[in-house]
Amino acid sequence: MKNTIPTPTPTAARRALPGAARLLALTLALAAPQASAQAATSLTLPGAVTRALSDGADVTTARANLQKAQANLRAVRADPTSPITVLTQAEQDVAAQAATLASTKLNVAQTVITQYLGAYETAARTGVLAAQVELDARQLKIAQAKLAARVATTLDVSRVQNTLDSDRQDLQSARDQLPVLEAQLARSLNLPAGTDLNLSAPPAPPKLSLTLAGLQAGLEKRLPGLVQAANGAAFSALQVKLADNDYTPARTLEDARVAAQNAQLSLGDAQRSALTQVRDAYRSLQDAQERVALSRDSLANAQTSLTQAQARLKAGTAAAVDVQQTQVQTQQATLSVTQAQNNVWRALAALGSAAGTDVTGLVK
């Protein structure tokens, strides 16, 4: 018979440790959850939206409300004694909750897209500002050297110093803002507090395949506010139909007709407002798309200027600081292209929320 050595339990093992080792083990154990919470999480824009739609509290609540309304409708339909008014209201509730769920997804996607792009742009802007501060510091040294050589004034040095101080403050503000923006995004994604986010560059925004007329068609079936207004108008019309007989008091029929007219007016006002919002969002998207082309032209010009500056430096007709300044301008132009493309994403998300249909391709 083999002799077996009992494996010490974790508690026994800890008791066997010397005091210093036991303290180290306890420290590592306590630090483990914090290290896990602060572990970097890599995200893409589509992945962030998908995570928010699957784990977000608002979407979960809207989905539960729809399921509850569907269960109620099944129960009402299964009861042969259910009045037509109760059945109609149950059917309308399902339609309203379905529209609310779809709208909630679009709104959550818009929020996450806005937060993601804001954090990504701020991180990119810190790089550009850091390059600008480095250029300012170099220009300050040049101004001080010119002052020493008596080819510049103290005012010239003061102006460069003020520019450096201002750009340093902008850089610090961007650095301070970045963790705040990342924390807001983390909350929307139900990530642990303190999670370090690694955001990938957003993909190119998709081209809009729907026309303005196509986006405006059927809004009363997609937008929660319009669905409720349409339901109210339809239910009021049903009340008029039920009261239009010889055994219902005339006053009841008159009141029902007035209510139906008011409901129809409310529906018309809501429809006009929704159509205007879709049209404005559509125009904003068109403007954002046009500005991408303009920013790309500016970047191409900046890159050409950089190439020329580098050639002049090699030929001895330009200084190194001139090339550095052109490099910073090219970085700024590159950031402008990124911001312009991101504005298209923002415009697409806003248009989707206004029209009640996904045009980003990210809402599943």
Side-chain angles (χ1 to χ4, degrees), residues 212 216-217 219 226 270-280:
L212 176 58
Q216 290 178 326
L219 292 176
L226 276 184
Q271 287 174 327
R272 286 187 292 272
S273 177
L275 290 172
T276 299
Q277 291 179 359
V278 174
R279 184 178 65 249
D280 291 345

Side-chain angles (χ1 to χ4, degrees), residues 286-302 333 336-337 340-341:
Q286 289 180 316
D287 179 71
Q289 290 172 330
E290 291 173 359
R291 292 186 182 278
V292 171
L294 296 175
S295 65
R296 286 174 177 167
D297 291 340
S298 297
L299 175 59
N301 293 336
S336 295
V337 172
Q341 290 177 332

Side-chain angles (χ1 to χ4, degrees), residues 218-288:
L219 292 176
E220 68 280 356
K221 296 181 180 179
R222 300 195 301 269
L223 301 182
L226 276 184
V227 170
Q228 292 179 355
N231 285 347
F235 191 77
S236 296
L238 176 61
Q239 295 283 46
V240 171
K241 181 179 179 181
L242 295 176
D244 190 7
N245 50 61
D246 57 0
Y247 52 83
T248 298
R251 183 57 184 270
T252 301
L253 175 59
E254 181 181 351
D255 291 344
R257 284 173 174 168
V258 172
Q261 291 174 353
N262 291 336
Q264 196 63 42
L265 289 174
S266 297
L267 174 59
D269 290 341
Q271 287 174 327
R272 286 187 292 272
S273 177
L275 290 172
T276 299
Q277 291 179 359
V278 174
R279 184 178 65 249
D280 291 345
Y282 185 83
R283 289 175 178 174
S284 296
L285 174 60
Q286 289 180 316
D287 179 71

Side-chain angles (χ1 to χ4, degrees), residues 44 82 123 224 307 314 343 358:
T44 63
S82 298
T307 301
K314 184 177 294 187
N343 284 338
D358 177 45

Side-chain angles (χ1 to χ4, degrees), residues 131-339:
Q132 181 64 57
V133 167
E134 185 178 349
L135 174 61
D136 293 341
R138 186 170 188 174
Q139 289 177 329
L140 178 60
K141 291 181 180 179
I142 293 173
Q144 291 169 337
K146 288 182 177 180
L147 177 62
R150 296 187 178 182
V151 293
T153 66
T154 55
L155 179 59
D156 296 328
V157 175
S158 178
R159 287 172 176 169
V160 178
Q161 182 67 62
N162 289 341
T163 300
L164 173 59
D165 293 341
S166 177
D167 289 337
R168 278 176 174 167
Q169 183 59 46
D170 290 342
L171 174 59
Q172 187 59 47
S173 296
R175 286 173 172 169
D176 292 341
Q177 185 184 23
L178 181 58
V180 176
L181 296 175
E182 290 183 343
Q184 292 174 348
L185 176 60
R187 283 196 299 270
S188 296
L189 303 182
N190 279 341
L191 291 171
T195 300
D196 183 21
L197 300 182
N198 181 18
L199 305 183
S200 300
K207 293 183 178 181
L208 183 65
S209 60
L210 297 174
T211 64
L212 176 58
L215 291 166
Q216 290 178 326
L219 292 176
E220 68 280 356
K221 296 181 180 179
R222 300 195 301 269
L223 301 182
L226 276 184
V227 170
Q228 292 179 355
N231 285 347
F235 191 77
S236 296
L238 176 61
Q239 295 283 46
V240 171
K241 181 179 179 181
L242 295 176
D244 190 7
N245 50 61
D246 57 0
Y247 52 83
T248 298
R251 183 57 184 270
T252 301
L253 175 59
E254 181 181 351
D255 291 344
R257 284 173 174 168
V258 172
Q261 291 174 353
N262 291 336
Q264 196 63 42
L265 289 174
S266 297
L267 174 59
D269 290 341
Q271 287 174 327
R272 286 187 292 272
S273 177
L275 290 172
T276 299
Q277 291 179 359
V278 174
R279 184 178 65 249
D280 291 345
Y282 185 83
R283 289 175 178 174
S284 296
L285 174 60
Q286 289 180 316
D287 179 71
Q289 290 172 330
E290 291 173 359
R291 292 186 182 278
V292 171
L294 296 175
S295 65
R296 286 174 177 167
D297 291 340
S298 297
L299 175 59
N301 293 336
Q303 291 172 333
T304 300
S305 297
L306 176 58
T307 301
Q308 294 174 348
Q310 290 170 334
R312 289 197 301 271
L313 177 63
K314 184 177 294 187
T317 58
V321 68
D322 297 326
V323 175
Q324 184 178 358
Q325 184 171 9
T326 310
Q327 288 173 333
V328 172
Q329 292 171 347
T330 303
Q331 288 180 272
Q332 292 171 339
T334 301
L335 177 60
S336 295
V337 172
T338 298
Q339 291 172 328

Side-chain angles (χ1 to χ4, degrees), residues 37-61:
Q38 296 177 355
T41 299
S42 297
L43 290 173
T44 63
L45 180 59
V49 173
T50 298
R51 184 180 186 116
L53 294 180
S54 62
D55 299 339
D58 292 341
V59 175
T60 300
T61 300

